[in-house]
Amino acid sequence: MAKTIYCDALLQQHLYGASVWTPPVNIYIALSTTAPTPTGGNVTEPSTADGYGRVAVANNGTNFGPVAVEPSSGYTIANLVAIAFNADVTATWGTPTYWVAYDGPVGGQRSVTDGATNATTTVTSATANFTTQDIGRTLTGGSIPAGATITAINSATSVTISAPATASATGLSLTLGSMALDIGTITSPQPINPGTTPSFAPQALTSTNN
């Protein structure tokens, strides 16, 4: 597995000077029982009702780094410290075989309370500080249709979404969804059952980019 298309685009734009990308302060580790796609789709996370939640890990060289011996092709990154999930597993999480690095928790990357819609594809917020890194994120709240995503940044306070809001309103609580950055595999995956504390030893979570 490897970087998502979203992350690859950010890196390409950063490399060639189109925009500056600042990596997130925290990486949110998610588990998946299905194989994610390069777009970050087909991720099957356990239910939050079963005690699951993504784990926030500080994004630094202490927690993540290259494996001790690189493969013959590609570059492999791994967790360098143990990563533990919620100790309160109330129902089976299945057998996660993949992990995904997100830039935010399950609930979303960030939220605002001053959103405004006008029954078009334009959504505004004086405090959202929209950037090109928000293109592709879901935007939820108010009368914005389910599944709508940000397709263009008009300014730091205005975006275009993929489907028009169905009503005009102000003072809306809006949430920008988190984006998948990297996809990897889990070494020796095991079923996660009630009463256990899921924890992954150093180098149990790896991702190779060819």
Side-chain angles (χ1 to χ4, degrees):
M1 308 304 284
K3 301 292 182 292
T4 62
I5 291 174
Y6 170 79
C7 185
D8 187 59
L10 294 178
L11 292 172
Q12 290 280 70
Q13 292 167 21
H14 182 83
L15 176 63
Y16 294 105
S19 62
V20 176
W21 180 50
T22 302
V25 174
N26 291 316
I27 294 292
Y28 291 80
I29 303 296
L31 304 178
S32 179
T33 55
T34 53
T37 64
T39 61
N42 199 46
V43 176
T44 305
E45 296 182 73
S47 171
T48 55
D50 297 333
Y52 171 81
R54 295 175 189 166
V55 176
V57 182
N59 187 15
N60 57 45
T62 298
N63 296 326
F64 301 99
V67 297
V69 179
E70 283 295 323
S72 57
S73 63
Y75 178 84
T76 298
I77 202 82
N79 61 309
L80 301 181
V81 296
I83 295 178
F85 280 72
N86 196 334
D88 188 24
V89 178
T90 58
T92 182
W93 292 3
T95 304
T97 50
Y98 296 88
W99 66 279
V100 183
Y102 282 90
D103 64 2
V106 174
Q109 198 254 358
R110 67 186 192 277
S111 298
V112 299
T113 58
D114 63 347
T117 57
N118 60 1
T120 68
T121 55
T122 298
V123 178
T124 61
S125 164
T127 61
N129 191 29
F130 296 116
T131 73
T132 55
Q133 295 180 29
D134 293 324
I135 294 176
R137 294 188 192 279
T138 57
L139 188 62
T140 58
S143 62
I144 295 174
T149 59
I150 296 173
T151 59
I153 308 299
N154 306 320
S155 70
T157 60
S158 173
V159 293
T160 300
I161 58 175
S162 58
T166 57
S168 298
T170 59
L172 298 173
S173 294
L174 304 178
T175 299
L176 287 81
S178 56
M179 296 294 287
L181 301 173
D182 197 19
I183 299 166
T185 55
I186 298 174
T187 302
S188 302
Q190 300 292 326
I192 299 176
N193 297 312
T196 61
T197 301
S199 182
F200 298 90
Q203 297 197 9
L205 309 179
T206 61
S207 174
T208 300
N209 287 267
N210 297 317

